[in-house]
Amino acid sequence: MAPEPIVPLDPDWPKMSLEQTKALLTAPGAKFEMETIDIRGVPTRVWKNAPPSLRILAQMVRAYGAREFTIYEKERVTFEANYRATVQIAHKLVEMGVRKGDRVALAMRNLPEWPAIFFAAVSIGAIMVPLNAWWTGGELEYALKDSGAKVLIVDGERHERLKSCYADLPDLQRVVVSRAKGALDTPAVALESLISETNGWGALEDIGFPDAEITPDDDATIFYTSGTTGSPKGALGTHRNFVTNIMSSAYVAARTMLRRGETPPAMPEPKVMLLVIPLFHVTACSAAMMGAVASGSTLVFMRKWEPELAMEIIQREKVNATGGVPTIAWQLLEHPARADYDLSSLETIAYGGAPSAPELVKRIYEEFGALPGNGWGMTETTATVTTHSGEDYLSRPTSAGPPVAAADLKIMSVEGDRELPLGEVGELWARGPMIVKGYWNKPEATAETFVDGWVRTGDLARLDEDGFLYVVDRAKDMIIRGGENIYSSEVEDVLYAHPAVTDCALVGVPHRTLGEVPAAMVHLAPGKSATEAELQDWVRARLAGFKVPVQIRFATDVLPRNAQGKILKTDLRGLFLDEEAV
């Protein structure tokens, strides 16, 4: 049974069941019609009307013309100007000797040139390798060597971090630097010398893309996993993976409207989106940017996340959607200056990458008047597999939503030898046209993770009778206290519900007789207070005693996260190890 909704809903909702909406939206001749094709020997349902490649998508969106595509501080780039810059970069890459299958690495913060570079590379059949701009020089060097990148495009900050190791990268032939902070030495050249600064993109010569033959299942990207354990692995994605997400996002929007009793529009309405998560992560690149490009929406970039600056931008640009990770929503809600800004343009605050508390869902709806959104995906699924939005999210606030029509989920035993009955917790497996080919140059890891079209996610989860997904923990983060399983998200949800808590994480710490016990790190909202004993009593009143954290520490700032928004629990766990529980 689904839990009680956290806010009152229309008693006549839903107007349609999930199966009814699926049947209507995917019927023969409908926009979201599906067909089954062979992908690497596996019969796979795909969106029949998806664009065949990212190259075609880059050409199609020129139709949006003078509509603004990206905004960054005082720089405003239209779709037409972005198209011209993309084409010019594509020709420059060909002149540099880049051919189909060559890797082009990209390491920079969210800037207007990021999408242009991305689409330029994939449009000539190159494999784009977006690198984590937060990485150290050594981490970046590892990924450049692993991918065998032929060309590297960086911003000035990353260039300074990397220039000392260029000579140690035997595959690297050219380096292009955007917004360089000084004179450049060989092999580096300035991007502006190739295509001009952004204010001149609209005047670039109107030429077509270089010739290239690209099929849907050709290689398109290598996104490196977060690397919270061991070295990052490069997930090898295809053109189909990315265009699938465009259709999946549109499908969920249409499904939500039908469930509400509304008629989906023939074409998506352009929105203004404040994108504060990095484009080198699939959530931003695939789930956010692809949909924005296809719908003619505007992406607003920030140099660095600052809650009050974000509110200024939302007010000035009349932003309709933002989010990324739950922390962003919490900081907007809790900011003492929130009442000073008009945030009424917000329609959606969506996030992924980390669990969120039901209390957050409620507050977004009640205090912003916006609809919360969530979903589940990972680097290996090119982002979204499930999406939770609108009334469905309000009615099931602890779920990650149902899968899109082209995807399948199943819950398997941790050993991977049998499928578990409905409602039981096990390892989540997923399949569909969004699943990547495998890991770059890592056949053993590929064989272990990808099985007959399914990806073994490492997430512990369950499915309810309507197909809604509930992710309870990462397999490696589950705490086993004296034989009793403790799912960290369950305890974190209770802590988040405390009015003083704005960020938290539960980790397991060693215990001499019980094996391990739960401990929590908590960050309190501005102006709020709570003690360890108070929070322990709060959890004890709502959960079994063995789930109560034996230690609670308080952080002066939000908890450390990687670029994907996932809390670095390994780092937090180390803070407790000097006081082993007895």
Side-chain angles (χ1 to χ4, degrees):
M1 295 290 292
E4 288 295 315
I6 59 173
V7 296
L9 299 177
D10 180 350
D12 294 329
W13 179 90
K15 308 293 184 181
M16 283 190 182
S17 70
L18 288 175
E19 286 303 314
Q20 287 173 323
T21 60
K22 179 178 177 180
L24 182 63
L25 292 171
T26 63
K31 180 178 181 179
F32 300 101
E33 181 181 358
M34 297 183 292
E35 61 181 351
T36 299
I37 66 170
D38 183 282
I39 299 180
R40 298 182 293 279
V42 177
T44 306
R45 289 194 315 281
V46 302
W47 301 117
K48 187 175 181 178
N49 298 316
S53 69
L54 293 171
R55 175 185 173 90
I56 298 299
L57 178 65
Q59 295 169 328
M60 291 169 58
V61 299
R62 189 184 189 187
Y64 294 125
R67 188 176 296 164
E68 287 181 338
F69 174 40
T70 59
I71 298 173
Y72 175 71
E73 298 180 345
K74 295 182 180 180
E75 301 174 40
R76 293 175 179 265
V77 177
T78 67
F79 275 90
E80 173 66 20
N82 178 78
Y83 168 83
R84 294 188 181 214
T86 301
V87 170
Q88 291 285 345
I89 296 170
H91 279 277
K92 297 299 182 182
L93 289 174
V94 171
E95 291 174 12
M96 294 176 191
V98 175
R99 300 294 181 261
K100 186 173 183 178
D102 287 340
R103 276 76 66 204
V104 176
L106 174 59
M108 65 173 57
R109 66 172 66 251
N110 287 3
L111 293 167
E113 48 267 43
W114 205 107
I117 295 164
F118 178 92
F119 280 101
V122 297
S123 291
I124 61 173
I127 300 174
M128 171 53 63
V129 187
L131 299 179
N132 190 325
W134 296 359
W135 277 349
T136 64
E139 290 170 316
L140 290 166
E141 183 179 356
Y142 163 82
L144 287 166
K145 285 182 177 177
D146 184 68
S147 65
K150 189 173 187 176
V151 173
L152 169 66
I153 306 178
V154 292
D155 58 20
E157 295 167 88
R158 257 45 61 178
H159 173 62
E160 293 301 315
R161 196 177 300 171
L162 273 170
K163 62 183 181 182
S164 63
C165 71
Y166 292 154
D168 297 324
L169 299 170
D171 296 309
L172 187 64
Q173 298 179 9
R174 298 292 297 273
V175 177
V176 180
V177 184
S178 174
R179 304 172 194 245
K181 296 185 176 182
L184 297 173
D185 297 324
T186 305
V189 297
L191 177 66
E192 294 80 5
S193 69
L194 304 179
I195 62 166
S196 84
E197 297 182 350
T198 54
N199 59 10
W201 286 4
L204 292 171
E205 186 180 359
D206 184 8
I207 55 177
F209 278 106
D211 292 337
E213 293 186 9
I214 298 173
T215 66
D217 294 306
D218 281 346
D219 300 339
T221 60
I222 297 174
F223 276 85
Y224 280 86
T225 59
S226 54
T228 52
T229 57
S231 296
K233 297 186 290 291
L236 180 60
T238 68
H239 287 256
R240 189 188 303 279
N241 294 156
F242 283 85
V243 298
T244 289
N245 228 340
I246 295 170
M247 300 297 292
S248 296
S249 297
Y251 172 84
V252 170
R255 181 181 69 192
T256 301
M257 295 186 71
L258 287 174
R259 299 259 288 164
R260 192 180 295 141
E262 300 174 356
T263 301
M267 293 294 293
E269 180 184 352
K271 302 291 184 180
V272 179
M273 303 167 59
L274 175 58
L275 187 66
V276 297
I277 48 179
L279 283 163
F280 55 73
H281 176 39
V282 290
T283 299
C285 184
S286 182
M289 185 175 73
M290 292 301 148
V293 169
S295 62
S297 294
T298 301
L299 294 175
V300 185
F301 299 147
M302 294 179 68
R303 186 182 187 279
K304 182 181 180 182
W305 168 251
E306 297 176 15
E308 188 160 5
L309 176 58
M311 291 188 287
E312 291 178 13
I313 293 171
I314 292 168
Q315 176 178 274
R316 182 179 68 246
E317 304 295 342
K318 295 181 170 54
V319 170
N320 307 122
T322 191
V325 293
T327 303
I328 289 169
W330 278 116
Q331 290 183 346
L332 290 176
L333 283 165
E334 301 287 356
H335 201 283
R338 193 184 90 195
D340 298 337
Y341 297 92
D342 179 5
L343 308 181
S344 61
S345 62
L346 283 174
E347 300 171 4
T348 302
I349 300 179
Y351 38 79
S356 60
E359 181 68 13
L360 178 61
V361 182
K362 179 181 181 180
R363 292 188 62 183
I364 289 172
Y365 181 75
E366 292 184 341
E367 298 181 35
F368 282 132
L371 288 174
N374 199 354
W376 174 86
M378 55 197 300
T379 305
E380 290 86 344
T381 69
T382 327
T384 310
V385 177
T386 74
T387 299
H388 213 16
S389 62
E391 292 83 350
D392 272 319
Y393 195 6
L394 296 173
S395 68
R396 286 178 168 91
T398 58
S399 172
V404 298
D408 295 308
L409 302 176
K410 65 179 178 180
I411 305 298
M412 299 288 289
S413 65
V414 175
E415 297 77 17
D417 58 352
R418 59 189 177 90
E419 186 171 357
L420 300 182
L422 191 69
E424 288 195 18
V425 172
E427 185 182 9
L428 174 65
W429 290 33
R431 72 176 177 185
M434 67 289 293
I435 307 300
V436 302
K437 279 186 171 182
Y439 296 122
W440 179 258
N441 286 340
K442 288 182 170 55
E444 292 183 2
T446 296
E448 181 180 343
T449 303
F450 300 91
V451 182
D452 298 328
W454 294 89
V455 59
R456 303 183 60 168
T457 71
D459 282 335
L460 296 176
R462 63 179 175 86
L463 297 170
D464 70 14
E465 64 276 10
D466 295 319
F468 282 76
L469 173 68
Y470 294 79
V471 178
V472 299
D473 218 338
R474 289 290 294 172
K476 66 177 183 296
D477 289 336
M478 185 179 72
I479 301 162
I480 304 176
R481 178 179 183 167
E484 296 288 347
N485 293 346
I486 303 173
Y487 300 120
S488 59
S489 61
E490 180 183 25
V491 182
E492 289 163 357
D493 282 352
V494 171
L495 287 169
Y496 271 122
H498 190 282
V501 174
T502 191
D503 203 12
C504 68
L506 192 78
V507 298
V509 296
H511 190 281
R512 290 188 182 92
T513 58
L514 297 175
E516 59 182 347
V517 291
M521 183 69 75
V522 167
H523 172 61
L524 300 179
K528 301 289 181 69
S529 64
T531 66
E532 179 183 51
E534 178 184 346
L535 292 179
Q536 288 172 326
D537 289 342
W538 175 270
V539 176
R540 189 176 291 109
R542 291 159 177 80
L543 296 175
F546 71 86
K547 299 178 182 179
V548 177
V550 300
Q551 298 179 53
I552 297 179
R553 293 190 178 184
F554 296 89
T556 57
D557 202 351
V558 294
L559 304 187
R561 285 170 163 80
N562 62 21
Q564 284 77 11
K566 298 175 183 176
I567 292 174
L568 296 171
K569 290 194 174 184
T570 300
D571 294 356
L572 296 181
R573 195 173 289 113
L575 299 177
F576 293 94
L577 293 181
D578 60 340
E579 297 179 9
E580 183 179 32
V582 295

